[in-house]
Amino acid sequence: MSAIRAKVAGRALGAGDRLPSIRSLASAMDVSPSTVVEAYDRLAAEGLIRARRGSGFYVSQTIMPPLALAEAGPRRDREVDPFWVSRQSLDADAAVPKPGCGWLPAGWMPEAGLRRAIRALARTDADLLTDYGSTRGGVSLRRLLLARLSEDSIQASVDQLMLTGSGTQATDLVCRFLLRPGDTVLVDDPCYFNFRALLRAHQARIVSVPYTPTGPDLARFEQILGSERPRLYITNSALHNPTGATMSLATAHRLLTVAAAHDLTIIEDDIFGDFEPERSPRLAALDGLSRVIRIGSFSKTLSASVRCGYVAARADWIEHLVDLQVATSFGGPSPVAAEIIARVLAGGGYRKHMDELRQKLTRTRRDVARKLGALGIEPWLMPRGGFFLWCRLPGEQDATQVARAALEDNVVLAPGNVFSVSQTSQHFMRFNVAQMNDPQTWEVLRRALKTAAK
Amino acid sequence: MSAIRAKVAGRALGAGDRLPSIRSLASAMDVSPSTVVEAYDRLAAEGLIRARRGSGFYVSQTIMPPLALAEAGPRRDREVDPFWVSRQSLDADAAVPKPGCGWLPAGWMPEAGLRRAIRALARTDADLLTDYGSTRGGVSLRRLLLARLSEDSIQASVDQLMLTGSGTQATDLVCRFLLRPGDTVLVDDPCYFNFRALLRAHQARIVSVPYTPTGPDLARFEQILGSERPRLYITNSALHNPTGATMSLATAHRLLTVAAAHDLTIIEDDIFGDFEPERSPRLAALDGLSRVIRIGSFSKTLSASVRCGYVAARADWIEHLVDLQVATSFGGPSPVAAEIIARVLAGGGYRKHMDELRQKLTRTRRDVARKLGALGIEPWLMPRGGFFLWCRLPGEQDATQVARAALEDNVVLAPGNVFSVSQTSQHFMRFNVAQMNDPQTWEVLRRALKTAAK
């Protein structure tokens, strides 16, 4: 391969020139013909040369795309909108510290279990490796999910559950099913910023309700249902993003009563559920999957690279959602992805991994809160679990300015207002405690606070 | 595990009962404590028992979901609409013959290369196995795709390409970007049935242009552009689905000229491109990715289980599409999926696999066409490649009735009108020649023709 590359680079072979025949090159280089075939095939896959059937290999006629794909990285002059944190953190170099991102470092994930599951996958049936799979997704994972839902006291039947490409895709699918452009949707204030981005894509009108340490402010919630008539309410159960708060049982009960009176549908996104020390009550359990739609994924606890989410809802809704998923992504989610997730969950190690992870996070939350406190940054509350701390900056500092200053120093933060529909979280910042191990991060944070204070 | 299962089944252990301690059971069964931990963890993953932290394992309180997930299979009384073939073929039992489906049998896919790629994946970096990955998708696959596009004389730069969850998801994303409810979209008649389902999901108004053996009927095409003002035209390049026809160079050129005059945007879905014996001209190559958007995937030639698609388009459109993909599925497609595909493509074996596959399909198309001819079923044209034969049934038979009759005998067919917006393909049927190996299929087809003729 390097011999041919050198000839092309050195213009000994030009565009459209025929390469030496396989036999002649094999004999000239004293290797087997199959070695030359392999090298030619790989060069053809790269696009440097092309095979013409029956007539050998030729140097490509067309201008070559860059062989090294120089990544420009995320644009830094973007508006600080709900896409800001996603784009800055997803596209940042691996070395860039990301206390603003919404996931754990690779070292905190169940790596051994994942590798074991992938090795087992390499030996599984050819059908599973190549076919589209069923429209509701892999059976083994759905079976495990029904058991896990039952642990949350959610009794779902087989026809009430389907797999999706991710948790976000699950929410998106439900929005496509329920919403028409201009429909009003209620979210928490603050809420997960991507709910805002997603609802924009649906051209929904977004209204918000203040979130308290025990759930949404119920008086305001009832008022908004009366005046704004939202079609849908989207919230997190278990551990709220970004605050880490947990809805109380009393709030959950009252909220569902009010929702029933106004015929409101609710999406309960359980994505952080497995980080709870003890299971808190779920809206879907109280409601029995009647007006509550339960959504979840494994991106936070198992792998975001092997992507898979799910929806549990009324059977007649699932039937429509399956049609919608067929129309918009043909078939269910990747059977290979569902199989890897199922194997990790079914292997005994996952529970132990989560036990250890929870303990590690409890320590880390405490340590990071103490260090933030030393900078005058105070958590709004101390969450029962998870990796987020929702914090007030000292001295009425503007979080967007602090985040911009930190980005100049190559640290991605998550400023409060990307989470806030009412734009009232300008003094707040969401910190991911698992992503703050690097002393450099703290230095940058200190400097950014000073710069922004000027 | 079976000892505990037996005790629960035999009511020796009831809901909420505490299981024997790990140490006592290990000693009673003469196994190591870690073996018992593993068994308990697996039973907990199944939902039969639950761990309470610090206090041991208990039989689950809640009613158990069925341990065997009885699949109901697809409903057979469904309307024969654009979803009909998808649902019947995706959800059918593996043993059901599916001449109506749109994919190759597992045995025709590059199984060895896939297994090799998955084994290599098990040894790759932890980051790749656990992180979300960049918003445009895995770099190795994008690099290979740029080279492949260049083989089709499509010179795309790095910022003109992004990966998606599948080819259908790519089309869906572009529709979200370009269409508003009520917008008019032009498709071929006949066209891939899922274009109809997808456009319905977007609440688009669908109009169609008759497809001829050399592309869409140009006179009608120009007329429709003038009278209906479609925002978008969606078509297949290379090998048209369902007809297997190839657009001529003259048609492509004329079509683009008319499109420019009416400012029409075009999605060119290249999904069957690799099945061509020689590359035919692509609209995207003529147009230089200005008004043509190129879409593709590897579901037909490599794996539909490892799902990944792509879009190549104007750089400013890609930038918007990336935001839309972040909003609706958070991040790009699965990095693990992109890595598997890239490894198979880069490994030299893929080209050889495709060469052999094309030869095998040429033989199979000829054989199946001869056998269909014996039943009076005649191909509309003999395609240059691929696995579809678009055929006219004998004696003005109604294809929907034939398909319903065949389904009674457990064979899934694809009746013409699911492909036809104008509902004028009632006497046509699309056959997948690679899925007609079973003599039983031919027996059922003969019987269904007789039944429907009554």
Side-chain angles (χ1 to χ4, degrees), chain B residues 127-262:
Chain B
D127 286 7
L128 197 146
L129 296 182
T130 59
D131 278 5
Y132 280 93
S134 77
T135 57
R136 284 158 194 265
V139 170
S140 351
L141 182 54
R142 280 189 286 145
R143 191 179 299 148
L144 289 164
L145 275 171
L146 288 176
R148 289 164 65 90
L149 286 171
S150 137
E151 281 185 49
D152 280 343
S153 306
I154 299 168
Q155 308 308 329
S157 60
V158 170
D159 55 357
Q160 287 186 292
L161 181 70
M162 67 185 284
L163 306 185
T164 61
S166 68
T168 308
Q169 282 192 44
T171 311
D172 182 49
L173 209 57
V174 172
C175 286
R176 291 179 103 134
F177 173 53
L178 292 175
L179 300 181
R180 293 295 161 264
D183 277 359
T184 300
V185 178
L186 179 62
V187 296
D188 300 316
D189 207 326
C191 74
Y192 171 40
F193 54 78
N194 205 54
F195 288 159
R196 296 179 60 204
L198 177 66
L199 290 169
R200 265 196 210 178
H202 284 274
Q203 301 167 64
R205 200 179 136 251
I206 311 173
V207 295
S208 68
V209 56
Y211 207 78
T212 80
T214 55
D217 177 324
L218 280 176
R220 288 287 297 130
F221 187 84
E222 187 158 12
Q223 209 173 28
I224 292 167
L225 261 50
S227 60
E228 308 286 345
R229 306 244 152 238
R231 173 79 190 86
L232 188 64
Y233 169 51
I234 308 186
T235 192
N236 295 119
S237 52
L239 293 164
H240 178 253
N241 183 357
T243 65
T246 299
M247 197 182 291
S248 72
L249 184 57
T251 303
H253 166 66
R254 181 79 194 125
L255 186 152
L256 284 172
T257 310
V258 177
H262 289 85

Side-chain angles (χ1 to χ4, degrees), chain A residues 41 53 71 87 91 115 124 128-130 135 142 172 176 277 303-305 307 323 330 334 351, chain B residues 41 53 71 87 91 115 124 128-130 135 142-143 172 176 277 303-305 307 323 330 334 351:
Chain A
D41 275 345
R53 239 149 290 158
E71 287 284 32
R87 294 290 291 263
D91 288 333
R115 291 193 194 277
T124 200
L128 197 146
L129 296 182
T130 59
T135 57
R142 280 191 285 146
D172 181 50
R176 291 179 104 134
S303 167
S305 177
R307 311 201 68 188
D323 271 348
F330 203 72
S334 156
R351 193 186 57 86
Chain B
D41 276 345
R53 241 150 288 157
E71 288 283 31
R87 294 290 291 263
D91 288 333
R115 293 194 193 275
T124 198
L128 197 146
L129 296 182
T130 59
T135 57
R142 280 189 286 145
R143 191 179 299 148
D172 182 49
R176 291 179 103 134
S303 167
S305 177
R307 311 200 67 185
D323 271 349
F330 203 73
S334 156
R351 190 186 60 85

Side-chain angles (χ1 to χ4, degrees), chain B residues 252-271:
Chain B
H253 166 66
R254 181 79 194 125
L255 186 152
L256 284 172
T257 310
V258 177
H262 289 85
D263 198 19
L264 176 76
T265 303
I266 298 170
I267 294 181
E268 179 177 53
D269 177 359
D270 193 59
I271 185 135

Side-chain angles (χ1 to χ4, degrees), chain A residues 152-286:
Chain A
D152 280 343
S153 306
I154 298 168
Q155 308 307 331
S157 60
V158 170
D159 55 357
Q160 289 186 291
L161 180 69
M162 67 185 283
L163 306 186
T164 61
S166 70
T168 306
Q169 283 192 41
T171 311
D172 181 50
L173 210 57
V174 173
C175 286
R176 291 179 104 134
F177 173 53
L178 292 175
L179 301 181
R180 294 294 161 267
D183 278 358
T184 301
V185 178
L186 179 61
V187 297
D188 300 315
D189 206 326
C191 73
Y192 171 41
F193 53 79
N194 205 55
F195 289 159
R196 296 180 61 204
L198 177 65
L199 291 169
R200 266 196 210 178
H202 286 274
Q203 301 167 67
R205 199 179 137 250
I206 311 173
V207 294
S208 68
V209 56
Y211 207 78
T212 80
T214 55
D217 178 323
L218 281 176
R220 289 285 298 130
F221 187 83
E222 187 159 11
Q223 210 172 28
I224 292 167
L225 262 50
S227 61
E228 308 287 346
R229 306 244 152 236
R231 173 79 190 87
L232 187 65
Y233 170 51
I234 308 186
T235 191
N236 296 119
S237 53
L239 293 164
H240 178 254
N241 183 359
T243 67
T246 300
M247 199 181 289
S248 72
L249 184 56
T251 302
H253 166 67
R254 182 79 195 125
L255 187 151
L256 284 172
T257 311
V258 177
H262 290 84
D263 198 19
L264 176 75
T265 302
I266 299 171
I267 294 180
E268 179 177 53
D269 177 0
D270 193 59
I271 185 138
F272 296 104
D274 278 0
F275 289 105
E276 279 193 309
E278 282 120 30
R279 316 295 284 179
S280 62
R282 299 295 198 273
L283 292 171
L286 271 70

Side-chain angles (χ1 to χ4, degrees), chain A residues 118-155:
Chain A
I118 295 170
R119 282 195 302 270
L121 179 74
R123 296 186 299 267
T124 200
D125 289 351
D127 286 7
L128 197 146
L129 296 182
T130 59
D131 278 5
Y132 280 93
S134 76
T135 57
R136 285 158 193 265
V139 170
S140 354
L141 183 53
R142 280 191 285 146
R143 193 179 296 149
L144 290 164
L145 275 171
L146 288 176
R148 289 164 66 89
L149 286 170
S150 136
E151 281 186 47
D152 280 343
S153 306
I154 298 168
Q155 308 307 331

